[in-house]
Amino acid sequence: MSRRNKILAFIGVEYVLVAVCTLPLFLLDAEPMGPLMLLVSVVFMFLPALSALIVRRLSGDRSGLFLRPNIRGTRKQYLMAAFLPGALTMAGAALYFLLFPGDLDLTMGYMSELLALSGQEVEVPAATLPQLIGAGLLLTLIAPLVVVNHIAAFGEELGWRGCLLPLLIEGLGERRAVLLDGVLWGIAHAPLVCFGLNYTGEYPGAPFTGILMMTVFATVSGIFMSYLTLRSGSIWPACIAHGAVNAVREAPLLICAAGYDALLGPKPSGLIGMAGFIIMGVLLMFRLEKRPGKSEGKNRWSAYCITEQQGED
């Protein structure tokens, strides 16, 4: 099977699996963030890995999927993966509340509502700004330790970064391949966005603006995940970064008043909330190679690809 056919096969299989997986949400008219929605969202994260395995089985591809940790010499990438997601999320939330101070709720009414829904009538004390800063720092440090999130992220990273990305790079070069990979990843989330994933409540142009914004976020955060993978020659830093994002992305809502604009923030899936990811994505794009083959021998990804090709031959 040619490289082009492998790419088309992966995209086709992935989108078909997404349609099948999310079909119960449409048939049963699932509630946003209800039990069925949560179950489907978990299964959804492992579909790219399944797509990769199916395509590799059909094509007879036995090349590696960049599963080696490659820890030696890649400490920088692992540290970036561990702590940048939390820091960028908190920075984006801070920017949102600076621009919309009326949305800042130090009484943490949202947390009280969550506790009430779980049957716990607990009075949550109002927070102070120093406490919020301390909590943000603590969450940034804790995020990479939530291992269950990294396991769930493994399914997406194996498919989008381990399988599809190298196929795209071969013909497009790193920059265009990374952007296309992120766009396709974002579009795959469309059915979930329609049922309130990341963009809950009423917002202008729903759900199409939510799908667009999710695609933007997947693209800019995908640049980060792809960069980590390319420069380490392993998908594990991307799994850690992806898991860390998932661990902290809902935290800004705990201090956000009702009626916030989900398309803007304060979560990193909003335009202002993702400001840090956008800036980082732009900077990292300049560190990626523009033309295919130009980076050969310059990074671990290229060296690993050469090794895998020799082993396959």
Side-chain angles (χ1 to χ4, degrees):
M1 186 181 292
S2 67
R3 178 185 62 83
R4 179 176 180 273
N5 288 339
K6 287 180 185 179
I7 292 172
L8 294 177
F10 176 87
I11 297 171
V13 171
E14 168 65 11
Y15 285 179
V16 168
L17 290 178
V18 168
V20 173
C21 176
T22 56
L23 184 61
L25 298 177
F26 291 89
L27 295 179
L28 301 177
D29 195 19
E31 296 181 1
M33 303 312 295
L36 179 59
M37 177 67 176
L38 295 177
L39 175 62
V40 169
S41 63
V42 171
V43 174
F44 171 87
M45 296 191 71
F46 291 95
L47 296 182
L50 179 57
S51 300
L53 295 178
I54 292 175
V55 172
R56 287 164 62 83
R57 178 72 174 179
L58 294 174
S59 64
D61 187 356
R62 295 183 180 180
S63 61
L65 287 169
F66 311 102
L67 295 173
R68 299 174 187 173
N70 292 339
I71 297 176
R72 182 178 299 179
T74 61
R75 293 179 182 177
K76 178 181 178 181
Q77 283 76 36
Y78 276 94
L79 287 174
M80 290 173 64
F83 302 115
L84 271 182
L88 295 175
T89 298
M90 298 308 157
L95 177 61
Y96 176 85
F97 289 124
L98 282 174
L99 295 176
F100 301 97
D103 286 349
L104 180 61
D105 180 14
L106 295 178
T107 65
M108 292 191 287
Y110 183 75
M111 179 178 288
S112 299
E113 291 181 9
L114 291 178
L115 292 173
L117 290 174
S118 64
Q120 304 178 51
E121 295 294 337
V122 180
E123 184 176 349
V124 180
T128 63
L129 287 178
Q131 289 174 335
L132 291 180
I133 294 174
L137 292 174
L138 182 61
L139 284 173
T140 299
L141 295 175
I142 292 177
L145 302 179
V146 187
V147 179
V148 66
N149 281 339
H150 309 330
I151 296 174
F154 171 80
E156 290 198 88
E157 296 307 318
L158 181 67
W160 293 108
R161 255 63 70 177
C163 177
L164 182 62
L165 183 60
L167 294 173
L168 294 173
I169 287 176
E170 186 178 340
L172 299 175
E174 288 182 351
R175 290 184 186 176
R176 288 185 292 175
V178 165
L179 288 175
L180 180 57
D181 186 77
V183 170
L184 294 171
W185 181 32
I187 293 174
H189 288 77
L192 296 181
V193 173
C194 290
F195 281 87
L197 182 70
N198 290 319
Y199 306 95
T200 55
E202 297 181 1
Y203 57 89
F208 303 105
T209 50
I211 294 172
L212 174 62
M213 198 58 62
M214 186 63 203
T215 302
V216 172
F217 178 59
T219 301
V220 295
S221 61
I223 294 173
F224 182 39
M225 313 300 178
S226 296
Y227 177 84
L228 293 173
T229 303
L230 291 170
R231 294 302 176 258
S232 67
S234 171
I235 63 170
W236 290 108
C239 292
I240 293 173
H242 191 159
V245 170
N246 289 346
V248 300
R249 68 184 182 187
E250 300 293 327
L253 289 185
L254 297 176
I255 55 172
C256 188
Y260 68 96
D261 191 336
L263 296 178
L264 295 179
K267 296 193 301 180
S269 51
L271 187 60
I272 296 174
M274 72 174 80
F277 287 93
I278 293 175
I279 294 172
M280 180 183 64
V282 171
L283 294 176
L284 292 180
M285 282 295 290
F286 285 104
R287 305 193 66 176
L288 296 175
E289 302 295 348
K290 186 176 181 180
R291 293 183 295 277
K294 184 179 178 182
S295 62
E296 185 172 311
K298 290 186 178 181
N299 56 62
R300 286 177 172 267
W301 177 272
S302 299
Y304 192 74
C305 284
I306 294 171
T307 302
E308 290 296 328
Q309 290 173 356
Q310 291 174 345
E312 187 178 358
D313 294 340

